[in-house]
Every structure is written in C-alpha cells, then in structure tokens.
C-alpha cells in the first residue's frame, strides 16, 4: 500500500493546539474545539462525533504537531511514493527442505514450508484464585484481598485530575455541541472494584497459511496441414456419386445383418428347445461324480472288500506257488476295438492310472484314445482324450502329475494337461519341428535341464532317440543318438552313401546314473548309451533273435536290467558282465511286456500272447514261475502290457481288445523271505541288493572257474 511522507504542519486560523500528558495515562489531543478524552477507564466506549456541518468544521480546523526531528522535504519528495507489500510469508524460512520419501524410496523436496515466526515466548504458570494453592500463597506472603494504600491513593489522584479536566472541557464546548457530549465517568468511584492482575485470560490465534498448489498440463499441438483445391462442377458431381454408392453399400450390409440375426434367432430357439428337453448336469457335475462313485462302491462292494481285506488262505499249503485274484475290469465302449498300447500309474494319486489305445496292425490304423481311470470308479473313465492317430506310449511327469507325455503312431509326440478342459494337447510336434517318421514306441520324462525347462525323451522305428524340451509355447527337439547298424553303407542314388539305421522299440533310463540309458531294437540288440555321446554306443548286447519289446532297470540293484522279446524269452542282464545273460526264461509264447516289482529286487512279472501272466521270484525258484495264470476269457486274446502299483499289491494287465484287468497278488507272491532260523529278514535297499548279489554269485561261479 502506498505510504506518503508526513506533510508539514500548518497552524489553523483560530484554533489552538495543546498537548497535556497526565500521570499514568496517554496524552490527549484537542482538535478545533471538539475535545476527545482518551481514558483508561472508558477505553471501550464509542466516542460520538457530530454529523453535518460540525464534521466538516472539525476537518478544517485540524492541526498537527510537528516532532522536533522531522525532516524538511520538498514538494517532489513529498509526492514520491514508496511501495511496500505486506505478505504472511516468512522471508527467513528455507525453501529447499528435502526429506526421504519411503513410498518412492528417494529424497524429495517438500512443497510445504512452515511460515510461522515466533518473536517472543514466555512460559508462565497461573493458578485459580479460589484454589488451595492460591490460599496457601496468600497466607504465606501476607497478601490481602484489598488493594494496597499506595495503589488507592494513586487511583484517587488520577480520578480527581480527570474530573477537573472534564469539567473544563464541558464549559468550553457547550456552545458548539448540540446534544452530543462525552459520557461522564460513573459516580461512586470509591466503591469500584479494581481489576485483579493475576485473574485474567489471554487468548491469541494465528491463521494457518495453506500451501499453494499449482497444476499445469501441456498438450502437443494438433498437426496442421495446408490444403487447397479448386471446386468444379464435375468434382462436385463425383463426390455426390461416391456418397450415393457408400449409402447403397451400407444398406446392403444392414439387410445381410438382419437376415443373419433372424437365422441366429431361429438356431438359438432350437438350441434352447433341445436344452430344455435334456438335463443339464454340468452345474452339478461335482456332486454327480461323488454320487456316481458311491453307487459304484455299492455295486462293486464285494470287489472292494476283496481288494482291502481278502488274502488267499490256500497259500499256507503251497510254499512256492501263488495266485492272482481278478478285481475290477476297466473298459470304455468307444475303445473296445483298440488294443491297450501302454499303462502308467500316476506318481501322486495312487488310485489313478492312464491307459492308451491304438493298433499294432499296420493295415488297420485309424484313431486312438487316451483314458484316465481311477479305482474308485471302474465303470467310466475320469478323463477322455480322443486322437486322430493311435497313441502308442504314455508317461506321467513325476513332479507335475497333471502333465502327460504321449507318442503317436504317425511319429509325433504331444503333451497333455489333464487340468485343461480342452481335449487337444498343449504341445505337439509337427513335420517342421522334427517329428519322427515312424511310430513312437516309448516316451519318458527326465529331470529339468540347466534352464529349468521340462524335457522328455522318445524312441522310434526311424532309429532316432530325441530329447524334447518345453520352451514357452513351443516344443524344441535335439537328436541324442542314432541307432546305426554295423553293416557297410549302402550305395544310394547318384553315388551317395546311405548308412542303415536300426529300429528302436523301447528304452529305459538308469535309476541312479542320469546319463546312462538302454535302447532295444527290432534287430534283437540292446545298446547301452549315454546322453553325452551321440556318435557311438557304450556297449551292445546281442540279446534276442527277434524284436525287443521291453528293457527295464531293476529298482534296487544298479547293475541289473531285464528284457523281453518276441522270441518267447525273458532275460536278466548285468550291464558290466559281457559273457551273456544272467538268467534266461522261455515262456512258450511271444512276451509282450515285463516289469520288476517295486517291493522286491527278485520278483518280476511278464505277459504273453497266449493270455497268461507269469510271476517269478528268483529267491524262491530260479527256473520256473511261482504263478502262471490265464486272465482272459477268449483264447485268441493277447496280453500286451503289465504294470505294478507302487503302493498296493495290485497289477494291471491290458489286452488287444481294449480291456484292462486289475489283479491282486496273493501272499506268496509278495512274502518276506526268511533266514535259516525261520525269522523274517528286514526289508530295505541294502537287503534287496544283497539278495540279488547272492543269486548272481551262484550264476557267475562256473564262468569264473572257466576263466
């Protein structure tokens, strides 16, 4: 606000100015006869000022008192203006305070600065005058409730002086005032109660300065383009013609949409009519599945009781023989004409197993099927996956039991996710991604690679062992080894040399040594291979005279594996012993599959084409099976595969008519061996290895003598 310098004092025509300072009160200023008395006692009263001509006269007769130290300024200096802007901001407050922001994890400058400046601060204590503490202080220091004599005398003198001055003012200004007059102080001043210096309340407040907030946005200017053209009659005509054609096209589209909507409406009506006719079970599928299992449990109650509690008592009278008790029989109507090509138990859910269906006949290739059964519901499979090509092999991932790897007759491999509702595989190889050219006979999951990617191996009749890796959304392949024959290269067209390849039919990976695996071929040979060497075999066994259908490492002994072939034989091998097989068994028919028992190192089972199951226990009988039993009704039915349950004394047997039969082992087929004193031996890996080594020592003795 502009502030002007004080002007020079001017004396009024008839007015006089006087300055009187009384004792203990502020000075009074008399202006043109209208005297205003400023008193301590009546400071809150409003001084009434005359209106009309009296106010203008007062303005004219105003006089100022010039201080002794006032400067003498010229007219130019007096008219000069000095601008001063008063703000509530503290000029000494810092503007660059930085604090750590825990949300953004960085130092940020604070926008709000405290503008409050304290010029004086004094801490004091007040107590109530009627409190006990106040009374004790009064009694201690002798303070009386009445005011001291000195204070009373000073107050009386001030009042007398004020009364005399007020009387003189009233006499002088009586002719100039009409009705307005300065109110007189109240009478009876002697009885007026003086203010208590210690009984007061002081209140002060200062408003808070709101921080300023600035918001600004900046947008990119829209692109500009200069366009200029000349409008002629033909250009206008062309524009109208184009618009007319567009409108005609839009009308045609609208007619098509309305017709298609009518058709959709009729289709929806038909669908709704069909839905109303049929019962919708999808909403109660979970409850329906539970009820279905309960009904099946009641229907097959006798089978369930046999599975849980029945034991063949006649085994007590047969020391070295056992039997197989048929339990449930699994079948699916759409897969009855397809052969069972593979069986695999789920590693996590012990009652769940997977069956694959296809055809071994080259001239009768059609469709395939992947079925998931559970022993809780033998009447219908839990999951059904139809395929266009026959499914020849299957394997379930040991750590991710919902991932199922399969091999097809057309040479491709695939991976199914059982949790997905889609019936298609999530991964599948094609001709571009290195699929086999012949049927895939076996697949097996392996440990994750160095990049933690899932991978599995496959073997096919085209002579390749391939490693497949699941990388994001694609299936990549790597050729591990090619099964080359010892024959000389054959001459091809234009003088090329063609190396003949063997036909792989099966393989198995070592249970302890990751890189070691065996491959069986149609030529009857078994190759011992390594993942690290892709150009040559570690060793080759002339195992059989016909195709090898299965090789399987022993669960306990690290050196022993078993093989079966179409030449009617089952052989047990030591991969470190090169002079031939340890044991050879002739079963009188083509052996489709063989499997070691997971609870013993000396027990294995095999299935043959004449419909029989053979169970051997080498610790009891080294020459003949302890159980030989036909499990099919028709004589022409061939058994194709067999597998042991890892927990329960059950084996699954599949045939070429699409049926899967579950059989329970009698006590003699799984009894614990006893020592010479009749006490049962402890079971464990070390005892199982020692039991097998004892048998191998008996077999190796003649060969050691010859050497």
């Amino acid at each position: 606000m502009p502030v002007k310098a004080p002007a020079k004092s001017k004396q009024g025509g008839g007015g006089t100015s006087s300055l009187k300072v009384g004792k203990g009160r502020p000075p009074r200023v008399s202006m043109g006869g209208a005297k205003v008395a400023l008193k301590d006692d009546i400071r809150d009263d409003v001084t009434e000022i005359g209106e009309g001509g009296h106010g203008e006269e007062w303005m004219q007769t105003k006089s100022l008192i010039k201080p002794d130290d006032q400067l003498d300024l010229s007219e130019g200096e007096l008219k000069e203006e000095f601008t001063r802007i008063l703000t509530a901001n503290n000029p000494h407050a810092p503007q660059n305070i930085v604090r750590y922001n825990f949300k953004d994890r960085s130092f940020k400058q604070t926008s709000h600065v405290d503008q409050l400046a304290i010029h004086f601060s004094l801490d004091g204590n007040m107590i109530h005058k009627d409190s006990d503490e106040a009374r004790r202080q009064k009694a201690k220091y002798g303070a009386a409730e009445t005011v001291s004599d000195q204070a009373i005398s000073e107050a009386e003198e001030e009042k007398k002086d004020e009364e005399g001055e007020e009387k003189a003012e009233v006499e002088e200004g009586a002719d100039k005032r009409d009705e307005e007059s300065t109110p007189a102080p109240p009478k009876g001043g002697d009885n007026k109660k003086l203010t208590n210096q210690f009984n007061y309340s002081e209140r002060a407040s200062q408003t808070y300065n709101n921080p300023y907030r600035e918001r600004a946005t900046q947008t990119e200017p829209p692109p500009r383009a200069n366009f200029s053209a000349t409008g002629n009659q033909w250009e206008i005509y062309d524009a109208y013609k184009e618009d007319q054609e567009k409108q005609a096209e839009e009308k045609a589209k609208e007619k098509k949409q309305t017709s298609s909507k009518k058709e959709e409406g009729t289709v929806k009506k038909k669908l709704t009519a069909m839905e109303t006719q049929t019962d919708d079970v999808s909403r109660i599928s979970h409850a329906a599945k539970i009820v279905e299992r309960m009904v099946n449990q009641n229907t097959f109650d006798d089978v369930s009781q046999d599975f849980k509690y029945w034991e063949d008592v006649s085994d007590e009278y047969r020391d070295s023989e056992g039997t197989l008790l048929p339990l449930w029989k699994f079948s699916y109507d759409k897969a009855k004409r397809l052969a069972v090509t593979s069986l695999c138990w789920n590693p996590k859910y012990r009652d769940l197993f997977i069956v694959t269906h296809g055809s071994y006949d080259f001239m009768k290739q059609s469709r395939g099927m992947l079925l998931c059964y559970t022993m809780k519901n033998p009447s219908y499979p839990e999951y059904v996956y139809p395929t266009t090509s026959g499914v020849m092999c299957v394997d379930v991932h040991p750590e991710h039991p919902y991932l199922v790897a399969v091999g097809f007759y057309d040479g491709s491999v695939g991976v199914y996710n059982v949790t997905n509702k889609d019936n298609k595989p999530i991964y599948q190889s094609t001709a571009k991604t290195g699929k086999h050219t012949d049927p895939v006979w076996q697949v097996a999951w392996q440990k994750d690679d160095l990049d933690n990617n899932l991978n599995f191996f496959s073997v096919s009749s085209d002579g390749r062992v391939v490693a497949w890796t699941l990388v994001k959304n694609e299936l990549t392949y790597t050729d591990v080894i090619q099964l080359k024959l010892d024959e000389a290269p054959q001459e091809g067209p234009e003088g090329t040399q063609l190396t003949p390849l063997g036909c792989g039919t099966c393989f198995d990976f070592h249970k302890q040594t990751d890189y070691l695996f065996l491959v069986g071929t149609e030529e009857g040979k078994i190759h011992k291979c390594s993942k690290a060497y892709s150009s040559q075999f570690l060793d080759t066994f002339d195992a059989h005279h016909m195709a090898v259908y299965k090789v399987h490492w022993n669960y306990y002994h690290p050196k022993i594996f078993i093989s079966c072939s179409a030449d009617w034989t089952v052989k047990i091998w030591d991969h470190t012993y090169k002079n031939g097989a340890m044991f050879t068994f002739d079963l009188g028919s083509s052996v489709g599959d063989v499997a070691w028992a997971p609870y013993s190192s000396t027990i294995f089972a095999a299935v043959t084409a004449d419909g029989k199951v053979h169970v051997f226990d080498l610790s009891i009988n080294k020459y003949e099976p302890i159980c030989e039993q036909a499990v099919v009704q028709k004589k022409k039915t061939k058994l194709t595969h067999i597998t042991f349950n890892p927990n329960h004394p059950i084996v699954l047997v599949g045939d070429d008519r699409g049926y899967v039969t579950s059989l329970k082992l009698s006590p003699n087929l799984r009894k614990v061996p006893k020592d010479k004193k009749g006490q049962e031996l402890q079971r464990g890996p070390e005892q199982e290895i020692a039991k097998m080594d004892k048998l191998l020592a008996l077999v190796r003795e003649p060969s050691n003598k010859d050497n």
Side-chain angles (χ1 to χ4, degrees):
M1 56 182 296
V3 179
K4 292 185 178 181
K8 295 181 180 179
S9 63
K10 296 181 181 180
Q11 291 287 346
T16 60
S17 64
S18 61
L19 178 64
K20 297 181 181 180
V21 179
K23 184 177 180 182
R25 63 182 184 274
R28 291 181 300 165
V29 180
S30 61
M31 301 178 183
K35 299 179 181 179
V36 181
L38 301 177
K39 306 175 184 179
D40 290 339
D41 297 336
I42 56 174
R43 189 173 297 169
D44 295 335
D45 295 339
V46 179
T47 304
E48 297 179 359
I49 302 175
E51 298 179 357
H54 298 286
E56 294 176 359
E57 184 181 2
W58 175 78
M59 290 294 293
Q60 292 175 1
T61 59
K62 178 176 64 175
S63 61
L64 300 175
I65 300 174
K66 178 182 179 182
D68 297 336
D69 56 350
Q70 183 174 343
L71 299 176
D72 294 333
L73 302 176
S74 62
E75 291 296 330
E77 292 175 346
L78 290 173
K79 292 180 180 180
E80 185 179 358
E81 294 183 356
F82 296 92
T83 304
R84 296 289 185 269
I85 299 174
L86 300 180
T87 61
N89 296 331
N90 185 8
H92 301 291
Q95 301 296 328
N96 55 353
I97 297 177
V98 177
R99 287 188 173 89
Y100 186 77
N101 191 333
F102 289 93
K103 181 179 180 182
D104 299 335
R105 297 182 179 180
S106 62
F107 287 93
K108 288 192 173 182
Q109 185 174 354
T110 57
S111 59
H112 171 65
V113 179
D114 190 9
Q115 305 292 342
L116 179 64
I118 301 174
H119 299 286
F120 178 74
S121 176
L122 178 64
D123 295 334
N125 297 322
M126 291 185 294
I127 58 175
H128 198 271
K129 64 179 182 178
D130 296 333
S131 62
D132 296 337
E133 182 65 24
R135 292 172 183 172
R136 283 196 294 271
Q137 290 186 6
K138 289 178 183 178
K140 182 177 181 180
Y141 297 106
E145 294 182 358
T146 58
V147 189
S148 61
D149 298 338
Q150 184 178 359
I152 294 173
S153 60
E154 291 179 357
E156 289 178 353
E157 290 179 359
E158 292 177 0
K159 288 179 181 178
K160 289 179 181 179
D161 295 339
E162 291 174 358
E163 289 176 357
E165 292 174 358
E166 288 176 358
K167 289 179 181 179
E169 292 174 359
V170 170
E171 292 175 356
E172 293 177 359
D175 55 347
K176 296 182 180 179
R177 293 196 302 263
D178 294 337
E179 292 180 358
E180 291 88 353
S181 61
T182 304
K187 296 181 180 180
D190 297 339
N191 297 329
K192 184 179 180 180
K193 185 177 179 180
L194 298 177
T195 58
N196 188 355
Q197 300 181 20
F198 300 96
N199 186 15
Y200 70 97
S201 176
E202 181 180 358
R203 295 182 180 179
S205 63
Q206 183 172 359
T207 58
Y208 180 76
N209 294 325
N210 293 323
Y212 290 104
R213 293 184 179 179
E214 295 183 0
R215 292 185 179 179
T217 57
Q218 184 175 1
T219 59
E220 295 182 359
R224 296 180 180 180
N226 296 327
F227 175 76
S228 61
T230 57
N232 298 326
Q233 290 182 354
W234 55 83
E235 291 180 355
I236 297 172
Y237 177 79
D238 292 341
Y240 274 105
K241 291 295 290 182
E242 289 179 1
D243 185 59
Q244 188 177 1
E245 292 175 357
K246 287 182 180 179
Q247 291 179 0
E249 291 178 358
E250 290 178 356
K251 289 181 180 179
K253 288 181 180 179
E254 289 178 357
K255 289 181 180 179
K256 291 181 180 179
Q257 289 179 357
T258 52
S259 62
S260 62
K261 285 182 179 178
K262 289 181 181 179
E263 292 177 358
E264 289 178 359
T266 55
V267 172
K268 285 182 179 179
K269 288 180 181 179
K270 291 180 181 179
L271 290 175
T272 52
M274 292 293 292
E275 288 176 358
T276 52
Q277 292 175 2
T278 59
D279 296 332
D280 187 10
V281 193
S282 60
R283 298 181 180 178
I284 56 171
S285 59
H286 184 66
K289 186 178 291 186
I290 295 174
V291 173
E292 184 183 9
R293 290 186 177 184
M294 293 171 64
V295 172
N296 279 287
Q297 187 175 0
N298 293 332
T299 305
F300 301 99
D301 182 61
D302 52 346
V303 181
S304 302
Q305 297 293 333
D306 291 343
F307 161 71
K308 193 71 177 176
Y309 303 108
W310 186 84
E311 300 292 349
D312 193 355
V313 185
S314 60
D315 278 10
E316 297 179 1
Y317 306 99
R318 295 176 299 193
D319 294 336
S320 60
E321 293 182 1
T323 58
L324 296 172
L325 175 67
L327 296 177
W328 299 283
K329 196 170 186 179
F330 302 88
S331 64
Y332 185 54
D333 292 338
K334 296 181 180 180
K336 282 185 177 180
R337 296 182 181 179
L338 299 174
V340 175
T341 56
S342 181
L343 294 169
C344 182
W345 288 97
N346 192 292
K348 183 176 181 180
Y349 304 99
R350 302 301 187 184
D351 62 314
L352 189 69
F353 62 93
I354 298 178
V355 183
T356 59
H357 293 273
S359 177
Y360 288 110
D361 192 350
F362 177 77
M363 302 301 294
K364 296 181 181 179
Q365 288 299 321
S366 58
R367 56 188 176 85
M369 197 79 67
L370 177 68
L371 304 177
C372 298
Y373 285 100
T374 176
M375 292 191 295
K376 298 177 181 178
N377 184 10
S379 62
Y380 196 83
E382 293 289 312
Y383 304 100
V384 179
Y385 297 96
T387 59
T388 57
S389 178
V391 186
M392 308 311 294
C393 52
V394 66
D395 191 28
V396 184
H397 197 281
E399 296 180 0
H400 306 285
Y402 55 88
L403 293 179
V404 179
V406 295
F408 298 97
Y409 193 87
D410 61 358
S412 61
V413 295
V415 177
Y416 284 88
N417 188 345
V418 184
T419 58
N420 290 349
K421 296 182 180 179
D422 192 4
N423 289 334
K424 297 180 180 179
I426 57 175
Y427 298 95
Q428 188 169 6
S429 63
T430 60
K432 294 182 179 180
T433 56
K435 80 167 190 175
H436 294 280
T437 56
D438 281 350
V440 180
W441 296 113
Q442 193 169 353
V443 292
W445 287 99
Q446 292 297 300
K447 293 182 179 180
D448 298 350
D449 58 7
L450 298 177
D451 296 331
N452 293 328
N453 293 323
L454 302 177
N455 67 94
F456 64 94
F457 282 63
S458 65
V459 63
S460 171
S461 301
D462 61 358
R464 296 165 57 208
V465 177
V466 182
W468 303 90
T469 306
L470 281 63
V471 181
K472 294 183 179 179
N473 294 328
E474 61 180 353
L475 197 63
T476 61
Y477 75 98
T478 305
D479 286 345
V480 178
I481 197 169
Q482 290 186 345
L483 306 177
K484 298 179 181 179
L485 298 177
D486 295 336
E487 299 177 3
Q490 299 176 359
E491 293 185 1
E494 298 180 358
T496 58
Q497 298 291 327
L498 298 178
T499 303
L501 296 178
C503 299
T505 55
C506 57
F507 65 170
D508 191 28
F509 289 84
H510 199 274
K511 302 295 186 291
Q512 299 174 2
T513 308
D514 294 334
Y515 63 85
L516 190 63
F517 65 96
L518 299 170
V519 180
T521 63
E522 284 187 3
E523 293 77 25
K525 295 183 179 181
I526 298 176
H527 302 290
K528 184 170 70 172
C529 309
S530 173
K531 295 180 183 178
Y533 300 99
S534 60
S535 59
Q536 59 183 356
F537 308 121
L538 298 181
D539 200 355
T540 300
F541 301 92
D542 292 329
H544 298 275
H545 303 290
M546 296 179 70
V548 180
Y549 285 156
K550 186 65 176 290
V551 289
H552 193 193
W553 287 100
N554 193 284
Y555 288 105
Y556 296 96
H557 203 289
K559 297 180 181 180
I560 302 300
F561 67 91
I562 195 170
S563 65
C564 68
S565 171
D567 62 357
W568 300 4
T569 59
V570 173
K571 295 183 179 182
I572 297 176
W573 305 81
D574 184 349
H575 76 91
T576 60
Y577 186 74
K578 299 181 180 181
N579 293 335
M582 298 287 102
F583 296 94
T584 302
F585 303 96
D586 189 349
L587 302 185
S589 182
S590 176
V591 185
D593 194 7
V594 67
W596 286 105
Y599 53 85
S600 176
S601 63
T602 58
I603 297 177
F604 65 91
V607 291
T608 56
D610 57 357
K612 293 183 180 180
V613 177
H614 303 261
V615 181
F616 289 82
D617 189 351
L618 301 179
S619 63
I620 297 176
N621 193 335
K622 298 186 289 294
Y623 308 103
E624 295 179 355
I626 60 175
C627 177
E628 182 179 348
Q629 185 171 334
V631 296
V632 293
Q633 297 177 355
K634 297 182 180 181
K635 295 182 179 180
K636 293 183 180 181
T637 304
K638 299 178 182 179
L639 297 182
T640 56
H641 286 278
I642 186 171
T643 180
F644 283 86
N645 188 289
N647 289 77
H648 305 293
I650 287 180
V651 292
L652 294 177
V653 177
D655 56 32
D656 61 350
R657 296 182 181 271
Y659 291 95
V660 177
T661 307
S662 58
L663 305 168
K664 184 175 182 180
L665 302 171
S666 65
N668 278 355
L669 301 181
R670 48 189 168 88
K671 67 180 181 180
V672 180
K674 299 180 180 180
D675 57 4
K676 296 180 180 179
K677 297 181 181 179
Q679 296 180 356
E680 294 183 354
L681 298 175
Q682 294 182 355
R683 279 191 175 181
E686 297 178 356
Q687 286 76 14
E688 296 296 334
I689 294 174
K691 186 167 60 172
M692 178 60 78
D693 285 336
K694 184 178 180 181
L695 295 172
L696 296 177
L698 297 175
V699 178
R700 286 173 181 168
E701 284 179 357
S703 61
N704 292 337
K705 290 179 181 178
D706 294 337
N707 294 335

